[in-house]
Amino acid sequence: MGKLNINGKDMNATENLMQKERFRPVDKAGFGGVALGNGFQYHTDYACLEAVEAAWKAGIRLFDTSPWYGLGISERRMGLFLKDQPRESFTLSTKVGRLMLPQEDFKMDQSLWKGKLNFGYRYDYTASGVRRSLEDSLQRLGLSSIDMVFIHDLSPDNGDMKDSYSYYFEQAAHGAMPELTRMREEGIIKGWGLGVNTVAPILQTLEVADPDVFLSACQYSLIKHEEGLNQVFPKVAERGISIIVGAPLCAGFLAGKNRYLYDGTFPAGVKEKLNALYQVAKNHNVDLRTAALQFSAAPEEVSGVIPGAHTAEQAVENANSFNVKIPNDFWSELKHEKLIEQNCPVPNM
């Protein structure tokens, strides 16, 4: 049987990696921090604090943020509430790969982040960069520890990297990835992986490192799920690795927002598919946003789903959606109409 070299160690892929006990969040229902960073539009500190508090009161205990979300703003806002909760009572993830650099009124062309930004940034996927990034995040959050760490936006679709993806991946493979494995072994974190919007970097990382959990955004929703389902899920299942689904509502597209994901465009066919999904939902008196969240949470490989919210009402609606009973006939019609793959796991209420 062949050997797999991971972080400088020879490991038998079948015997060692498949038997590894990997960290998974306790609850699948989560809260994503893009909106807290003024994603798409400016939100007040107070409204964001209310949203996190409302999610907590509704039972949410899985929270995800990033230095990149508002260039520090999301972490500050999320930590403002979480710092006062018992640390063992919730699971928190943040990200590494960009270091924030103080800069008054930093401006970005066509930025997703609105409001006043007082930090610039630079990419750094080295071992020392990971350590510094996490120390900075703890300061912004006001917390003593972080459970899961995702190497952020290390993906060919990241146009900000221009033609440097291969360079940065090599930097991470020799720096961030083994360093995060060491931090896991030291007990500083519980698990790590990538936080990306495409499947290729996930598959590439599985070849060179020993991750625990991936945050896969934009790849497992009612609109788009084929690659995640058929390419990623079987691979991670072999090694006991789990997936946290980001953008389960396609940045609000499945919840009535006139936008699809993050680049301001609508790919061919997505509006037509949305209309078809709405029609099936109407046939069964089902709320499509609720169905979308439950769909993303259904696979065994999925350990978390993290829709965002910037109001208390949104946070409560999202949390409650995970507990609604949806008739099996709804899912059957989606498969009959070929709106979801035939092999998609679906909730069984």
Side-chain angles (χ1 to χ4, degrees):
M1 187 174 292
K3 295 286 186 178
L4 182 64
N5 186 276
I6 296 181
N7 300 329
K9 301 176 182 178
D10 283 331
M11 292 185 176
N12 181 293
T14 301
E15 295 179 5
N16 291 48
L17 296 180
M18 288 183 66
Q19 294 175 9
K20 182 181 288 292
E21 186 74 22
R22 300 186 186 277
F23 178 76
R24 291 174 68 109
V26 175
D27 301 309
K28 284 192 176 184
F31 183 102
V34 169
L36 299 191
N38 294 330
F40 301 107
Q41 63 191 86
Y42 171 76
H43 309 295
T44 67
D45 292 338
Y46 184 71
C48 291
L49 181 59
E50 279 192 322
V52 181
E53 182 178 24
W56 182 274
K57 289 181 176 178
I60 298 299
R61 295 296 184 269
L62 170 62
F63 297 88
D64 175 74
T65 184
S66 170
W68 177 238
Y69 299 163
L71 282 73
I73 295 171
S74 177
E75 286 186 324
R76 286 169 60 96
R77 288 171 165 172
M78 189 170 284
L80 189 61
F81 177 81
L82 292 180
K83 69 179 179 60
D84 294 323
Q85 313 314 315
R87 183 60 192 88
E88 68 279 3
S89 65
F90 62 90
T91 299
L92 175 68
S93 59
T94 193
K95 304 178 181 73
V96 296
R98 296 180 180 92
L99 294 176
M100 300 297 107
L101 309 172
Q103 185 173 338
E104 182 74 7
D105 284 327
F106 178 68
K107 303 296 183 185
M108 299 175 63
D109 293 334
Q110 299 178 328
S111 172
L112 176 65
W113 316 116
K114 308 305 177 185
K116 191 171 185 287
L117 304 175
N118 291 325
F119 286 84
Y121 66 95
R122 65 177 172 85
Y123 286 100
D124 191 330
Y125 294 100
T126 65
S128 61
V130 163
R131 294 271 180 173
R132 176 180 165 183
S133 182
L134 288 178
E135 289 170 0
D136 289 350
S137 288
L138 289 170
Q139 294 284 352
R140 284 187 291 267
L141 287 159
L143 294 171
S144 60
S145 64
I146 293 164
D147 299 300
M148 299 179 292
V149 177
F150 298 114
I151 301 172
H152 205 186
D153 288 340
L154 184 59
S155 178
D157 73 319
N158 183 354
D160 193 33
M161 287 182 172
K162 304 194 186 316
D163 298 324
S164 298
Y165 166 68
S166 295
Y167 166 79
Y168 283 122
F169 189 90
E170 285 300 309
Q171 185 181 79
H174 292 91
M177 295 180 192
E179 187 69 6
L180 288 170
T181 296
R182 280 190 288 270
M183 293 176 76
R184 180 188 66 203
E185 292 170 348
E186 293 166 8
I188 297 172
I189 62 174
K190 296 176 181 177
W192 72 270
L194 300 191
V196 289
N197 299 337
T198 61
V199 303
I202 293 175
L203 299 175
Q204 192 173 356
T205 298
L206 289 171
E207 295 296 322
V208 300
D210 185 26
D212 306 277
V213 53
F214 290 107
L215 199 171
S216 179
C218 314
Q219 299 300 309
Y220 200 76
S221 71
L222 281 176
I223 297 292
K224 179 181 179 180
H225 51 267
E226 295 81 3
E227 287 185 325
L229 176 68
N230 297 316
Q231 295 183 32
V232 174
F233 286 4
K235 292 290 186 182
V236 299
E238 289 176 359
R239 285 167 51 177
I241 296 168
S242 68
I243 297 290
I244 291 178
V245 175
L249 301 176
C250 300
F253 186 63
L254 285 161
K257 299 288 187 182
N258 187 32
R259 62 173 179 251
Y260 180 78
L261 296 179
Y262 305 115
D263 67 1
T265 64
F266 292 90
V270 297
K271 288 186 175 181
E272 292 79 3
K273 184 168 186 178
L274 180 65
N275 289 334
L277 289 168
Y278 271 125
Q279 183 58 56
V280 176
K282 182 179 178 181
N283 294 344
H284 298 273
N285 195 30
V286 168
D287 172 55
L288 188 61
R289 178 187 49 78
T290 292
L293 294 177
Q294 291 197 18
F295 173 81
S296 292
E300 176 62 27
E301 294 84 359
V302 171
S303 60
V305 179
I306 50 170
H310 64 86
T311 68
E313 181 182 13
Q314 289 177 346
V316 172
E317 287 176 346
N318 287 341
N320 290 343
S321 284
F322 288 95
N323 299 314
V324 173
K325 292 186 178 181
I326 295 177
N328 292 333
D329 287 349
F330 168 78
W331 305 110
S332 297
E333 185 171 348
L334 289 185
K335 290 188 176 184
H336 180 267
E337 296 298 322
K338 296 182 170 53
L339 292 172
I340 62 175
E341 294 291 289
Q342 295 301 309
N343 59 329
C344 277
V346 295
N348 185 15
M349 294 290 189

